[in-house]
């Protein structure tokens, strides 16, 4: 449906609304990370504006030439379609960005049937931005469709949720993911099934891992380093800090990404501690995350997260990278709990 893997029910619902001319002025796509929220929302934006009545045009290789609106939307350059997407280094969508969106919303479309605004990760709207967005949701100009994505509707203002039609996306069955990887990426059945299992229902993750196996390896390496640092002493931590600082001169971006990855992963471990496994971003890492969640207390994990985020900020502010990284790695919590070795005496008896 809509050139999207899975999510048949959601696709059918959107298609029916369009066919009946009953398009809502706002949709909220919810579901776990990388499950296909943005992909389905973008396909719907194309369906809303496609020149082909049976649209949207398919975009895959060997699917023929897509119409002009579909082509422009897919390339992110349609004049009446805009996405608000937060860069990784910022944590909130600002009031200013929503204010600017509102100024644009009020103008007539240049060529589209529906002016469309995607607000990705709407849970990251600042409070003032969310309140401002509410004004547009309350009185939307005709022909404007707002499409929000979020992991969970509960993370948004209830007043925002109540003005959107929610489209809930569930993790896909592993068999559907494996079939797609075999068809589209020509993976061997065994490799496709392996990745599909690791993906835990997140098709986007599986596709990325299939397309870039090296990226997955780099990520695994970086995460192994973090686990070692959390368990290790001063020496291991300083060595890792030095290795990163040496990388900084030539590959600052790699170091930034490593720190962001680490923050994201620690945030995942906190989610596991709270029993929110469904919302974990690195779902294939659940075993390693569960171990960290067991070995470190919640305050230690929160401290680790704060430390890593501060390091990202310090580096952005042009702090001395060697110093910033030394400080960050040494400030990681040291409360790693080692379970007693089998057969050893319990501390109570030894005392
Ligand atoms: Zn089209």
């Amino acid at each position: 449906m809509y050139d999207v893997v899975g999510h048949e029910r959601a696709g059918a619902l959107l298609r029916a609304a369009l066919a009946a001319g009953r398009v809502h002025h706002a949709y909220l796509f919810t579901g776990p990370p990388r499950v296909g929220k943005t992909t389905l929302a973008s396909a719907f934006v194309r369906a809303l504006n496609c020149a082909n009545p049976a649209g949207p045009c398919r975009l895959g290789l060997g699917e023929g030439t897509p119409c002009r609106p579909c082509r422009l939307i897919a390339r992110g350059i349609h004049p009446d379609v805009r996405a608000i997407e937060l860069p990784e280094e910022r944590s909130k969508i600002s009031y200013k960005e929503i204010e600017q969106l509102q100024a644009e919303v009020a103008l007539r479309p240049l060529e589209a049937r529906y002016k469309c605004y995607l607000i990705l990760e709407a849970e990251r709207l600042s409070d003032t931005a969310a309140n401002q967005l509410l004004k547009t949701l309350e009185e939307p100009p005709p022909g404007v469709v707002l499409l929000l994505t979020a992991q969970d509707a509960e993370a948004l203002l209830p007043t925002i949720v109540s003005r959107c039609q929610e489209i809930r996306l569930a993790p896909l069955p592993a068999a559907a993911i494996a079939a797609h990887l075999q068809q589209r990426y020509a993976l061997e059945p065994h490799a496709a099934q392996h990745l599909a299992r690791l993906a835990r229902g997140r098709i986007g993750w599986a596709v990325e891992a299939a397309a870039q196996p090296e990226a997955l390896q780099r990520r695994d390496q970086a995460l192994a380093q973090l686990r070692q640092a959390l368990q290790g002493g001063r020496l291991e931590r300083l060595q890792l800090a030095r290795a990163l600082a040496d990388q900084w001169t030539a590959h600052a971006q790699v170091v930034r990404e490593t720190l962001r990855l680490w923050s994201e992963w620690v945030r995942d471990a906190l989610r596991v501690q709270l029993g929110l496994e469904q919302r974990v971003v690195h779902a294939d890492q659940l075993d390693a995350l569960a171990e960290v969640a067991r070995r470190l207390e919640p305050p230690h994990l929160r401290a680790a997260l704060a430390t890593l985020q501060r390091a990202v900020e310090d580096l952005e502010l042009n702090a001395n990278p060697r110093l910033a990284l030394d400080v960050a790695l040494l400030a990681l919590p040291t409360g790693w709990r080692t379970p007693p070795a089998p057969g050893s005496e319990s501390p109570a008896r030894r005392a």
Side-chain angles (χ1 to χ4, degrees), residues 32-36 170-178 181 191-210 216 219 277-278 280-286:
R34 319 299 303 277
V35 79
L172 296 183
I177 295 180
L181 294 180
Q193 280 156 16
H194 176 65
L195 275 188
R197 260 198 312 278
L198 289 181
R200 295 182 198 252
R202 292 96 198 272
I203 178 80
W205 183 89
V207 162
E208 198 176 283
L216 189 60
R219 182 205 67 161
E277 280 86 355
Q278 262 313 310
V280 157
V281 175
H282 298 277
D284 64 307
Q285 291 264 323
L286 268 184

Side-chain angles (χ1 to χ4, degrees), residues 93-112:
I93 298 172
S94 70
Y95 172 82
K96 250 196 153 61
E97 280 162 297
I98 297 302
E99 200 185 28
Q100 195 191 343
L101 176 150
Q102 276 166 332
E104 288 176 31
V105 160
L107 304 172
R108 293 172 64 82
L110 291 167
E111 54 181 89

